[in-house]
Amino acid sequence: MNAGKGFDFQTRYTVCHLPIWLQDGSFHQIFTEGTGDIDIRYVDEGKSRRKHIQTKDHDVAPAEFKDVIEAFRRYDADMPGTYQEFRLACPSLSQQMRPVETGLARFRNAKPFYDDDVPALAQTQHDVDQRMRAIGLSDEQIAFIHEKVFVDIGYGDLAHDERALDIFIARMLSHPDFASKIRAMVLPAYAALMNKVGASKGVVLDKSSIEALLRSAVLADLSAEASVTLWVHNWTKEAFTPPADYELDWTPLFDRAARRVPSLDAWTNDLVRQLDTLRKHIMTAGAVRTIRLRGKCALSTGLALGATFPAVGSWTFEIPQPPAKELWRSDATPTPGYTLQTEITEADPNGTDLVLGLNIRGDGRVDVMRYIESTGQAPHAYVFMAPPSQGAQSIGGDGTPSQW
């Protein structure tokens, strides 16, 4: 049971440090349960350097510390020049050991400041050496510690999966490749890495395979495509498939026959706020960024949805586009070389509004201008955009709307 507990601590330590190690450009490989607990290899300009780490899941006392130092010395003697650093990682040190750790840390932290005046730290080193002799270390062991041994403490949280998970996620989100993700997106990577490291004792794992595992774990959660279904009713209120997770009924504000749409005040103070509240609610539910949109909606609703759930926020819409059998997705690759036609018609020089008209399957310029004139609010200009050819075939595939 104790061996298993120690094994779990070692795995958690490894998994929680990998996001940090991976950010080192020279990090190359990791080897667990090979010559010892953890071996790390770095390669810089074709030259290798290695670090050996021993983990303990409990406070280390003087006798055990001496055993660890002797084990480090044996590794160093058996493989001369192979390891440039040896490290002991544990939750804490025993009360007798703490003066050694604090003194050694203080001495090492001061060395860069006095690198041009080494004798200035002679007394400090003497005091540290005396502390190490007091716990039974020999001069040879003390010299070896000064040269190659480091002690990492403060890992009590790694005894618990929940706390280790928090540490791992925080470090993953500090990694440049995953900084734009949210907690729920990187969470699956913890279990994937724990399983991989736990099953790879005595096996070398290189940087590329670890990074590939992390990316696949994060992307797998997205490819499993946790999604929500949103029904939005504008012109009609109908039932769709799949069933709605969320439903917005705006039919009282829309009338196709009368060409009535919500007022600016309704959009600003009601409908957009509903969408913003919905977005926040969906985000609290987890790593959901795909919305299966159903409903017969006005273009203005589409614009409001796109503004609230933007592509730059990693949101994706999945929408039926009859008569096409396949669902259209907003993350479809844009069609290359697709040229939009743009026409600008000046209106009232004193106007402050811009009217944008999108002519997809037909020419709606006259209807749009007639409707705007009926409102009594003359715009500064009209901008009409259209595909190269209008009609039923104006949208030739998934990439055409994405190009817009």
Side-chain angles (χ1 to χ4, degrees), residues 178-222:
F178 305 102
S180 63
K181 308 300 181 185
I182 62 175
R183 176 188 172 92
M185 289 180 177
V186 301
L187 190 149
Y190 178 75
L193 208 51
M194 285 286 288
N195 291 335
K196 184 65 174 179
V197 172
S200 301
K201 302 305 180 184
V203 177
V204 174
L205 296 176
D206 58 31
K207 182 177 184 178
S208 60
S209 66
I210 296 170
E211 290 180 329
L213 175 67
L214 289 175
R215 291 193 182 97
S216 66
V218 173
L219 294 176
D221 185 63
L222 298 178

Side-chain angles (χ1 to χ4, degrees), residues 11-162:
T11 304
R12 293 188 189 106
Y13 176 90
T14 304
V15 168
C16 287
H17 280 76
L18 274 169
I20 297 175
W21 295 335
L22 289 170
Q23 293 184 59
D24 187 328
S26 60
F27 175 81
H28 185 61
Q29 293 171 321
I30 184 170
F31 188 27
T32 57
E33 293 293 332
T35 58
D37 284 354
I38 307 167
D39 291 312
I40 302 175
R41 180 186 176 195
Y42 300 87
V43 177
D44 191 7
E45 296 183 351
K47 296 181 179 180
S48 293
R49 57 185 173 87
R50 292 174 176 84
K51 178 192 301 184
H52 179 85
I53 304 173
Q54 284 286 335
T55 61
K56 303 294 180 182
D57 65 350
H58 51 267
D59 293 356
V60 174
E64 186 175 21
F65 184 75
K66 289 174 61 179
D67 291 342
V68 171
I69 297 303
E70 277 306 296
F72 287 166
R73 293 182 68 200
R74 284 195 299 273
Y75 293 137
D76 194 54
D78 291 344
M79 293 176 280
T82 299
Y83 291 97
Q84 286 68 49
E85 180 181 319
F86 294 87
R87 192 171 290 265
L88 169 64
C90 57
S92 185
L93 298 175
S94 70
Q95 189 170 357
Q96 285 180 284
M97 284 292 305
R98 288 171 192 167
V100 173
E101 190 277 329
T102 55
L104 190 59
R106 187 180 301 114
F107 172 64
R108 283 177 167 161
N109 289 338
K111 285 179 72 174
F113 187 79
Y114 295 101
D115 59 352
D116 61 342
D117 187 10
V118 176
L121 292 177
Q123 185 60 47
T124 303
Q125 180 173 349
H126 174 76
D127 293 342
V128 174
D129 292 352
Q130 286 297 97
R131 294 182 185 186
M132 288 193 277
R133 292 188 182 98
I135 62 169
L137 293 172
S138 67
D139 287 347
E140 291 79 8
Q141 292 170 330
I142 292 172
F144 183 74
I145 290 171
H146 279 302
E147 182 184 2
K148 290 189 173 183
V149 177
F150 295 82
V151 179
D152 279 348
I153 60 173
Y155 296 111
D157 284 344
L158 298 186
H160 310 280
D161 254 329
E162 298 82 1

Side-chain angles (χ1 to χ4, degrees), residues 254-267:
F254 287 85
D255 188 327
R256 187 186 295 276
R259 293 187 175 180
R260 178 167 55 84
V261 295
S263 65
L264 176 61
D265 181 69
W267 278 115

Side-chain angles (χ1 to χ4, degrees), residues 340-346 354-357 359 363 365 369 381-386:
L340 292 174
Q341 299 177 356
T342 304
E343 175 186 309
I344 301 176
T345 301
E346 300 292 340
L354 177 69
V355 175
L356 174 63
N359 298 316
D363 188 349
R365 289 176 294 179
M369 295 176 72
Y382 296 90
V383 177
F384 294 101
M385 302 182 72

Side-chain angles (χ1 to χ4, degrees), residues 7 153 237 299:
F7 177 85
I153 60 173
K237 185 174 182 180
L299 177 60

